[in-house]
Amino acid sequence: MSSSLHECCLKRSEAIRNEFPMLSVVENGHPMVYFNNAATAMTPKSVINAMTEYYEEYGVNIARGVDAIGYRATHLFEATRVKVADFLGAERSDSVVFTRGTTAALNLVCSSFGNLVVEAGDEIIVSGGEHHANYIPWQQLAKNKGAQLVLAELDEDGKVTPEALQKAMTPKTKLVALFHISNVMGAVHDVKALAKVAHDGGAYFVCDGAQGIVHDQINVVETDVDFYAFSGHKLFGPTGVGVLYGKYDLLKRMPPIEFGGEMISLVDVYDTTFADPPHRFEAGTMPIAEVIGLGKAIDYVNRYGYCAMQRRVEYLTSIAVEKLQAQPNVTIYNPHNYASGIICFNIEGIHPHDAAGIYDREGISLRAGHHCSQPMMRELKQFATLRASLAFYNTEEEVERFVEATEMAGDFLDILF
Amino acid sequence: MSSSLHECCLKRSEAIRNEFPMLSVVENGHPMVYFNNAATAMTPKSVINAMTEYYEEYGVNIARGVDAIGYRATHLFEATRVKVADFLGAERSDSVVFTRGTTAALNLVCSSFGNLVVEAGDEIIVSGGEHHANYIPWQQLAKNKGAQLVLAELDEDGKVTPEALQKAMTPKTKLVALFHISNVMGAVHDVKALAKVAHDGGAYFVCDGAQGIVHDQINVVETDVDFYAFSGHKLFGPTGVGVLYGKYDLLKRMPPIEFGGEMISLVDVYDTTFADPPHRFEAGTMPIAEVIGLGKAIDYVNRYGYCAMQRRVEYLTSIAVEKLQAQPNVTIYNPHNYASGIICFNIEGIHPHDAAGIYDREGISLRAGHHCSQPMMRELKQFATLRASLAFYNTEEEVERFVEATEMAGDFLDILF
Amino acid sequence: MSKQRKWQVISLTYSSNQSQKDNSANAQLFKKIIMDHYRNPRNKGLVEDDEYVTIFLRNPSCGDDLTVQVKANGDKIESIRQYGTGCSICCSSASMMSELLASKTLTEAAQLINQFYLMVEAKPYDEEALGDAISLQGVAKLPQRIKCATLGWKACEEALGKIQEEQADDSASK
Amino acid sequence: MSKQRKWQVISLTYSSNQSQKDNSANAQLFKKIIMDHYRNPRNKGLVEDDEYVTIFLRNPSCGDDLTVQVKANGDKIESIRQYGTGCSICCSSASMMSELLASKTLTEAAQLINQFYLMVEAKPYDEEALGDAISLQGVAKLPQRIKCATLGWKACEEALGKIQEEQADDSASK
Ligand SMILES: Cc1ncc(COP(=O)(O)O)c(C=O)c1O
Ligand SMILES: Cc1ncc(COP(=O)(O)O)c(C=O)c1O
Ligand code: FES
Ligand code: FES
């Protein structure tokens, strides 16, 4: 990580801000403050340019035929697989499957692997802090199989401790599916410890890394997760692409769930033999530009280094939390979780969407709603919350403006006039 | 279609060539001749720019919250749905589901609808001319259900006539899945007549429009297809996006097959109620930039008009076929199918990939292989073929260079030196 | 302040060219009306009564929901109830709707609902007819909040449709 | 033309600075060698014999496939058979492989396979050792065809691995 910037440099660096074109957007007359990074992060120029280059210079299909232009596309596509594997600390690149996103990746594990291993009477453990993408698939699988969905207990920070997971485990537990970082509470799981508890109890461990990949370097070998999923668009990459990492011997056992071009070995009239992983799970034309763009996003993260990004996010989040806490009508549901840049809060007596209207008027983009986690809302006993989510390219001034806007939230009807 | 260009204008128009940056690529020292349009078409600037604009100006998530920037993204995304519906002649835009591509769309129909309606003992009709994406899903469904996969007979052009379909129909036929235009033979189906035969026999009709959408305007209401699938990247749009059109009342009956954000209505601990179509089938973050790009591609096609494109493709294909036929060692498997721009051929005694090497050296990009249709290869009794596929932006000069390269194919070992 | 009077003020303000000051006076009035409906919602709370047609609607863009109950007597609306979780626009709008449409005929109600839709879509509409609801005209410049504002009206529209269906069924079976 | 002689020509050509003419003469010779293996493949056709280890490999980028059979006696290869559908590079390469590796020891064969990989990846390799196969050195500038050229060698490599496994098992069980 020798090439990564130190915090001080990062702070001063206009260069970083220039790399993200969306940072210059003016929203309702104000330079936009984008505090909705946990929904979708901004995309640096290098990623956008790489995709434009694909469409302008070698925008062809991959893995089909042997001409030079097709080889360039195929090569860059497959080189990205290697890059992703390195990024995750995976031992082999063919344990990296490209998907449409985290949701598709988790659904793939569930409908293929889950369907294979879970039987009636088994138990599947999730938490109430899961995003719907890591909750509903398991819930539906349990329902269809006659298995039992079990919710591990959350502590007050919104995470499952290894002890809590241990308590939820029984001899019937077949699989544990938990987030790496929560998208509502920003809680950070000790993935390695949780995976160990699961494995020691004879269960598989699936990790939803949609938020985790952004803020916390994962090593799939050290943590020993069986599956890990994430999306491009949250990691400064494009929409339409995501990754499922799986241990190769597990992938190897999994049947494909989509059928089409490039995933077959031999198609006979009444049956088909399928290619090995990862291609077995990559039917049809892949999101080629998007995979290449994701590779550039990973280059970007590697260039700056997790360390510098993390420090910056924690710093910004801590001052935002401190200033918000000074406002008596603000309730912060996760006052201790700085690492993810996520602040989950409400303003007393003001519907979160009404408050969001004021933030919007002030050019501040954040999110109001259930954040695709109705189970978590139930745990918080809220219909909805506000969520500010910060990235390393945000600034103190932006935090200031955010806090000021919070003070105006009571005038929510003003937006109508 | 008043704004579409006439053929003469189209032919002369440098402007068109300038709209496709990839047309200026130099390949192995020659200006590239791209005759691989059936695999993936080139992307015009307007499409690339629209996606860049998304990432630079409003690259946020959709359908979440109510701020202005999110509204812009959501609005453009949903406006594209209306545009696609209009383009297909569909009556309502909520019968348009966005997917990762044709393959994902056909798999969705198969695993959700097919799984719902097909029972043991039923018959599913496909043809040997299908792309794997419209063959293997049905084959596997039949296998899993104990249903029977039936192949309708192809005529010498490589298509199923309404009479041939009629012959294949039995009272057990539950579903018919056929291409609109074949990706190997370029044969064009009479979709309306085939759908009628299927419906009269009490079966559903699924149409694979991956190639058809490019060359033949479809009206889903007039043809009365139950489902129609296509990809963005073949229609001058981006990778990573496709469309499933379905009759709304059929979509309404279908269970979702992927679970996650934005496709739910209410998530309870042990069960979930799902949103109405199309969102029921659009779990998680969609390929937002790609959908917006697809909308621009449709604008592009609408601007020029099918009519002008078709005439141009037919004209270029007919001269290419004529000139190839003058070469004694060339066998053309589909000498009568000009409409699709697809020429399926082999050169006697030369492995298609060896020939492709010479074309590549000459800067000509075409495809060799089984074209993701091993059943069709069996029908042709070939391991593989060459396939040139032309688009309206190709030129007579390019056809000339293609024919000249064909004459050199015998020197295929030259590429090694 | 009688309803009558409110209407006058409003139509006055909106039929002439206004100074900045008038405008903000107007805004103050409108805000008061909205806040009043938000804090003291009319016809809030549901009833268990088979004579009511009940419609549950969810706003997909935020996840909030609203239930509207309508009871008709012949071609006249007798009572409207409403209950839900929503933002100020949604809740106040539902309250205004319930007040405005109660005791109207089915046809009149349908027309008023349409007028409301026209207003929030920034199209010409009949200001005189909408009562308190014209205080929500600012929604026209917040397209992303149209769904909030119309949720109650949509629910009522669906309820009216159902009532008419039922009435048609009844008279057919007679 | 004896094998010995072919090697000489080749190593000569490649150890000195060549004129354009030498180069093209060389190309002509290489082409002849490749074409000869393509048209008259050595050891082509499979046998039904349990003493052979059989490996079937598919080239995923084109769908072609190749089957290689290897029979060993102790640490020596006794016979190699090959059969498949592939392009000229694939088929000729498999033929050259079958000729070169037959009668080598397992260790020698493994080393030669490695030399071949080095050659097509444009890395330094031992020209003297590869026999006719050096005629395929041009593959090094066609990365998209490396899979074609190496398919036969990969299959043989897998067969050798399997043979060694079997021998290890055998000696363990003794
Ligand atoms: C006829 C046909 N069907 C289906 C497909 C699959 O499309 P995609 O790879 O975009 O999913 C193709 C493209 O190769 C095709 O030509
Ligand atoms: C924790 C978590 N899991 C899963 C997802 C789903 O990701 P996507 O919408 O990219 O499929 C998200 C994003 O919203 C998330 O935050
Ligand atoms: S934000 Fe939910 S109804 Fe207005
Ligand atoms: S092209 Fe298939 S092996 Fe060479």
Side-chain angles (χ1 to χ4, degrees):
Chain A
M1 246 179 247
S2 64
S3 69
S4 69
L5 295 177
H6 290 284
E7 198 199 315
C8 51
C9 318
L10 204 56
K11 231 151 83 181
R12 267 179 277 127
S13 177
E14 264 306 300
I16 291 181
R17 303 267 309 171
N18 287 334
E19 279 166 351
F20 290 86
M22 244 181 76
L23 282 171
S24 353
V25 165
V26 171
E27 188 73 357
N28 290 330
H30 308 272
M32 180 174 69
V33 174
Y34 190 68
F35 277 8
N36 200 6
N37 294 288
T40 288
M42 289 186 182
T43 321
K45 277 183 195 157
S46 59
V47 172
I48 305 173
N49 292 346
M51 292 191 287
T52 300
E53 197 176 300
Y54 165 77
Y55 287 116
E56 291 192 347
E57 294 180 14
Y58 62 104
V60 302
N61 222 313
I62 54 171
R64 295 177 177 168
V66 288
D67 58 346
I69 193 165
Y71 182 77
R72 177 171 175 201
T74 308
H75 180 75
L76 276 168
F77 184 91
E78 290 299 334
T80 305
R81 203 187 297 279
V82 177
K83 198 179 281 179
V84 171
D86 289 347
F87 189 62
L88 298 174
E91 265 161 359
R92 41 195 297 178
S93 67
D94 49 8
S95 56
V96 170
V97 180
F98 290 114
T99 69
R100 188 167 61 79
T102 307
T103 302
L106 291 168
N107 275 276
L108 169 57
V109 189
C110 183
S111 2
S112 176
F113 185 73
N115 195 45
L116 195 71
V117 301
V118 173
E119 289 164 21
D122 283 350
E123 292 174 2
I124 304 173
I125 298 181
V126 297
S127 83
E130 301 307 316
H131 187 279
H132 289 161
N134 198 33
Y135 188 96
I136 311 178
W138 306 113
Q139 179 200 56
Q140 297 292 312
L141 179 71
K143 197 181 139 199
N144 295 336
K145 289 272 184 174
Q148 182 66 27
L149 190 77
V150 175
L151 267 63
E153 207 187 317
L154 296 175
D155 71 6
E156 61 181 10
D157 284 342
K159 66 179 191 294
V160 177
T161 60
E163 296 69 39
L165 178 57
Q166 188 61 63
K167 252 178 60 190
M169 298 278 304
T170 76
K172 293 182 187 163
T173 310
K174 188 58 75 62
L175 190 145
V176 176
L178 293 173
F179 60 79
H180 178 181
I181 293 186
S182 149
N183 66 307
V184 183
M185 300 290 276
V188 183
H189 270 159
D190 182 344
V191 175
K192 186 175 175 177
L194 293 170
K196 187 164 180 337
V197 172
H199 289 151
D200 287 351
Y204 296 101
F205 189 80
V206 177
C207 188
D208 170 2
Q211 299 294 337
I213 195 80
V214 186
H215 301 288
D216 193 16
Q217 183 133 39
I218 184 84
N219 184 303
V220 290
V221 170
E222 267 174 35
T223 53
D224 200 27
V225 293
D226 296 307
F227 295 96
Y228 191 88
F230 70 93
S231 298
H233 68 100
K234 296 192 199 275
L235 192 67
F236 319 109
T239 56
V241 64
V243 164
L244 175 67
Y245 157 84
K247 283 185 184 161
Y248 193 75
D249 57 325
L250 300 182
L251 290 177
K252 191 92 191 182
R253 286 167 53 195
M254 286 162 54
I257 54 168
E258 280 195 349
F259 308 102
E262 304 310 324
M263 51 75 72
I264 53 98
S265 175
L266 194 73
V267 182
D268 224 320
V269 180
Y270 299 113
D271 208 357
T272 297
T273 48
F274 301 110
D276 283 338
H279 296 104
R280 183 188 297 171
F281 306 108
E282 297 180 350
T285 302
M286 291 300 289
I288 307 170
E290 293 77 6
V291 164
I292 290 167
L294 172 61
K296 286 287 167 186
I298 289 177
D299 288 346
Y300 189 92
V301 171
N302 282 335
R303 197 155 67 241
Y304 283 99
Y306 271 107
C307 180
M309 289 192 187
Q310 276 167 344
R311 265 193 275 167
R312 180 78 183 145
V313 167
E314 286 200 27
Y315 167 71
L316 290 172
T317 310
S318 68
I319 52 174
V321 167
E322 191 179 313
K323 293 190 183 212
L324 277 186
Q325 276 176 324
Q327 301 197 16
N329 58 342
V330 169
T331 311
I332 300 182
Y333 301 107
N334 63 340
H336 308 300
N337 301 340
Y338 300 155
S340 60
I342 288 174
I343 308 169
C344 178
F345 67 108
N346 261 331
I347 309 172
E348 207 181 288
I350 304 178
H351 186 282
H353 280 97
D354 281 327
I358 288 292
Y359 289 116
D360 184 38
R361 185 194 65 185
E362 297 299 307
I364 297 162
S365 200
L366 45 64
R367 194 166 158 201
H370 56 59
H371 316 295
C372 294
S373 184
Q374 293 182 6
M376 191 67 221
M377 291 299 109
R378 266 194 298 277
E379 304 244 355
L380 294 177
K381 301 194 176 43
Q382 298 293 318
F383 286 112
T385 73
L386 290 159
R387 180 186 71 182
S389 53
L390 282 59
F392 71 100
Y393 41 63
N394 289 127
T395 65
E396 288 94 331
E397 294 69 42
E398 292 178 335
V399 169
E400 200 53 61
R401 279 182 49 204
F402 160 65
V403 174
E404 277 165 20
T406 307
E407 288 166 16
M408 303 176 210
D411 304 327
F412 53 86
L413 284 185
D414 286 2
I415 63 167
L416 283 166
F417 303 98
Chain B
M1 246 178 246
S2 63
S3 67
S4 69
L5 295 178
H6 291 284
E7 200 200 313
C8 50
C9 318
L10 205 55
K11 229 151 83 183
R12 266 180 279 129
S13 179
E14 265 306 302
I16 291 180
R17 304 266 309 170
N18 286 335
E19 280 165 349
F20 290 87
M22 246 183 75
L23 282 171
S24 351
V25 165
V26 171
E27 188 73 358
N28 290 330
H30 309 271
M32 179 175 68
V33 174
Y34 189 68
F35 277 7
N36 200 6
N37 294 288
T40 288
M42 290 186 180
T43 320
K45 278 183 196 158
S46 58
V47 172
I48 304 172
N49 291 348
M51 291 190 289
T52 300
E53 197 176 301
Y54 166 77
Y55 287 115
E56 292 193 348
E57 294 181 12
Y58 62 104
V60 302
N61 221 313
I62 55 171
R64 292 177 180 169
V66 289
D67 58 346
I69 193 166
Y71 183 77
R72 179 172 174 199
T74 308
H75 181 75
L76 277 167
F77 185 91
E78 290 299 333
T80 305
R81 201 188 297 280
V82 177
K83 200 180 280 180
V84 171
D86 289 348
F87 189 61
L88 298 175
E91 265 160 359
R92 40 195 299 178
S93 66
D94 49 8
S95 55
V96 170
V97 180
F98 290 114
T99 69
R100 190 168 57 81
T102 307
T103 302
L106 291 168
N107 276 276
L108 169 57
V109 188
C110 184
S111 3
S112 176
F113 185 74
N115 194 43
L116 196 70
V117 301
V118 173
E119 291 164 19
D122 284 348
E123 290 173 4
I124 303 173
I125 299 181
V126 298
S127 83
E130 301 309 316
H131 187 279
H132 290 161
N134 198 33
Y135 189 97
I136 311 178
W138 306 113
Q139 179 200 56
Q140 297 294 312
L141 179 71
K143 197 180 140 201
N144 294 338
K145 288 274 182 172
Q148 182 66 29
L149 190 75
V150 175
L151 269 61
E153 207 188 318
L154 296 174
D155 69 8
E156 60 180 10
D157 285 343
K159 65 178 192 294
V160 177
T161 61
E163 295 71 37
L165 178 56
Q166 187 61 62
K167 253 177 64 190
M169 298 280 301
T170 77
K172 292 182 188 163
T173 310
K174 187 57 75 62
L175 189 145
V176 176
L178 294 172
F179 59 79
H180 178 183
I181 294 185
S182 149
N183 67 308
V184 184
M185 300 290 276
V188 183
H189 270 158
D190 183 343
V191 174
K192 186 175 175 178
L194 293 170
K196 188 167 180 335
V197 172
H199 289 150
D200 288 351
Y204 295 101
F205 189 81
V206 177
C207 189
D208 170 2
Q211 299 294 336
I213 196 80
V214 187
H215 301 287
D216 192 16
Q217 182 132 39
I218 185 83
N219 183 304
V220 290
V221 170
E222 266 175 34
T223 52
D224 201 27
V225 294
D226 296 309
F227 295 97
Y228 191 88
F230 70 92
S231 296
H233 68 100
K234 298 196 199 270
L235 191 67
F236 318 108
T239 55
V241 64
V243 164
L244 175 67
Y245 157 84
K247 283 184 185 162
Y248 192 76
D249 56 323
L250 301 182
L251 290 176
K252 191 90 192 186
R253 286 167 54 194
M254 288 162 53
I257 55 169
E258 279 195 349
F259 308 102
E262 302 312 324
M263 53 74 72
I264 53 97
S265 176
L266 195 72
V267 183
D268 223 321
V269 180
Y270 299 113
D271 207 356
T272 297
T273 49
F274 301 110
D276 283 337
H279 297 104
R280 183 187 297 171
F281 306 108
E282 298 180 350
T285 302
M286 291 301 289
I288 306 170
E290 294 76 5
V291 164
I292 290 167
L294 173 61
K296 286 288 168 187
I298 289 177
D299 288 345
Y300 189 90
V301 171
N302 283 334
R303 197 155 66 240
Y304 284 98
Y306 270 107
C307 182
M309 290 190 184
Q310 275 166 344
R311 268 193 273 168
R312 180 81 184 144
V313 166
E314 286 202 28
Y315 166 72
L316 290 172
T317 311
S318 67
I319 53 175
V321 167
E322 192 180 313
K323 293 190 185 211
L324 277 187
Q325 277 176 325
Q327 301 197 17
N329 58 343
V330 169
T331 309
I332 300 183
Y333 301 109
N334 65 340
H336 308 302
N337 301 340
Y338 299 155
S340 61
I342 288 173
I343 308 170
C344 179
F345 67 107
N346 261 331
I347 308 171
E348 208 181 289
I350 304 178
H351 186 283
H353 280 96
D354 281 328
I358 287 293
Y359 288 115
D360 184 37
R361 184 194 66 185
E362 297 299 308
I364 296 163
S365 198
L366 45 64
R367 195 168 156 198
H370 56 59
H371 316 295
C372 294
S373 184
Q374 293 184 4
M376 190 69 221
M377 291 298 109
R378 268 195 297 277
E379 304 245 356
L380 294 177
K381 300 191 176 42
Q382 299 292 319
F383 286 113
T385 72
L386 290 159
R387 180 185 71 182
S389 52
L390 283 59
F392 70 100
Y393 41 63
N394 290 128
T395 65
E396 287 95 332
E397 294 69 42
E398 292 178 335
V399 169
E400 199 56 59
R401 279 181 50 203
F402 160 63
V403 173
E404 278 165 18
T406 307
E407 286 166 17
M408 303 177 209
D411 304 328
F412 53 85
L413 285 185
D414 286 2
I415 63 166
L416 283 166
F417 303 98
Chain C
M1 202 191 314
S2 78
K3 250 188 192 172
Q4 197 51 40
R5 184 155 154 60
K6 258 194 281 167
W7 286 3
Q8 271 181 329
V9 173
I10 290 155
S11 51
L12 231 176
T13 327
Y14 273 80
S15 52
S16 59
N17 275 338
Q18 300 122 35
S19 70
Q20 181 74 28
K21 214 175 140 204
D22 279 350
N23 234 335
S24 85
N26 218 6
Q28 287 315 318
L29 174 60
F30 283 177
K31 260 194 252 181
K32 249 197 196 136
I33 299 175
I34 301 170
M35 207 42 115
D36 180 40
H37 278 274
Y38 187 40
R39 299 276 180 243
N40 314 300
R42 324 291 197 262
N43 306 304
K44 181 152 178 175
L46 304 179
V47 290
E48 292 227 19
D49 180 344
D50 280 357
E51 291 192 67
Y52 282 83
V53 164
T54 302
I55 299 289
F56 170 88
L57 279 191
R58 189 180 290 280
N59 179 348
S61 58
C62 60
D64 286 324
D65 57 48
L66 191 75
T67 305
V68 166
Q69 296 184 307
V70 180
K71 178 171 155 190
N73 188 344
D75 75 337
K76 247 192 131 122
I77 296 176
E78 240 179 27
S79 157
I80 303 185
R81 308 293 309 169
Q82 52 89 14
Y83 182 81
T85 66
C87 62
S88 59
I89 296 178
C90 173
C91 293
S92 64
S93 185
S95 166
M96 293 171 195
M97 178 280 295
S98 71
E99 195 172 60
L100 181 72
L101 302 187
S103 82
K104 295 278 185 299
T105 67
L106 302 187
T107 326
E108 280 166 358
Q111 280 166 353
L112 288 170
I113 293 172
N114 252 329
Q115 287 303 316
F116 186 79
Y117 293 167
L118 290 172
M119 180 182 81
V120 296
E121 285 163 11
K123 290 179 187 149
Y125 69 101
D126 181 2
E127 296 168 5
E128 309 266 331
L130 283 178
D132 284 2
I134 64 165
S135 58
L136 287 170
Q137 56 190 220
V139 170
K141 54 172 185 155
L142 295 173
Q144 66 272 33
R145 300 300 285 277
I146 291 180
K147 278 187 191 151
C148 304
T150 54
L151 198 63
W153 305 73
K154 283 241 154 75
C156 185
E157 192 179 20
E158 284 197 22
L160 297 183
K162 230 171 164 180
I163 288 171
Q164 272 163 334
E165 256 176 50
E166 282 176 11
Q167 291 180 345
D169 286 357
D170 279 358
S171 63
S173 66
K174 261 169 207 163
Chain D
M1 201 194 312
S2 77
K3 253 189 192 174
Q4 198 53 38
R5 184 153 154 62
K6 257 194 285 169
W7 286 1
Q8 272 181 328
V9 171
I10 288 156
S11 50
L12 232 177
T13 326
Y14 273 80
S15 50
S16 60
N17 275 339
Q18 302 120 33
S19 70
Q20 180 76 28
K21 214 174 140 206
D22 280 349
N23 234 335
S24 85
N26 217 8
Q28 286 314 317
L29 173 60
F30 282 178
K31 258 193 254 182
K32 251 198 196 134
I33 300 174
I34 301 170
M35 206 41 116
D36 180 39
H37 278 274
Y38 187 38
R39 299 274 181 244
N40 314 301
R42 326 290 198 259
N43 308 307
K44 180 153 178 173
L46 305 179
V47 290
E48 292 230 16
D49 180 343
D50 279 357
E51 291 194 67
Y52 281 84
V53 163
T54 303
I55 299 287
F56 169 88
L57 277 191
R58 190 178 290 279
N59 179 346
S61 58
C62 61
D64 288 323
D65 58 48
L66 191 75
T67 306
V68 166
Q69 296 184 307
V70 181
K71 180 174 155 187
N73 189 344
D75 77 339
K76 246 191 132 121
I77 294 176
E78 240 179 26
S79 157
I80 303 185
R81 309 292 309 167
Q82 52 90 14
Y83 182 81
T85 66
C87 62
S88 59
I89 296 178
C90 172
C91 292
S92 64
S93 186
S95 166
M96 296 171 194
M97 177 279 294
S98 71
E99 198 174 61
L100 181 72
L101 303 188
S103 81
K104 296 277 187 301
T105 67
L106 300 186
T107 324
E108 282 165 357
Q111 279 165 353
L112 288 169
I113 292 172
N114 251 329
Q115 288 303 316
F116 186 79
Y117 293 165
L118 289 172
M119 178 181 83
V120 297
E121 284 163 12
K123 292 180 187 147
Y125 68 102
D126 180 1
E127 296 169 5
E128 311 264 330
L130 282 178
D132 285 1
I134 64 164
S135 59
L136 286 170
Q137 57 189 218
V139 170
K141 54 174 186 150
L142 294 173
Q144 67 271 31
R145 301 299 287 274
I146 291 180
K147 279 187 189 152
C148 303
T150 53
L151 198 62
W153 305 72
K154 283 240 152 78
C156 186
E157 192 178 23
E158 285 197 22
L160 298 183
K162 231 171 164 179
I163 288 170
Q164 274 164 331
E165 257 177 51
E166 282 175 11
Q167 291 179 346
D169 286 357
D170 279 359
S171 64
S173 65
K174 262 170 211 164

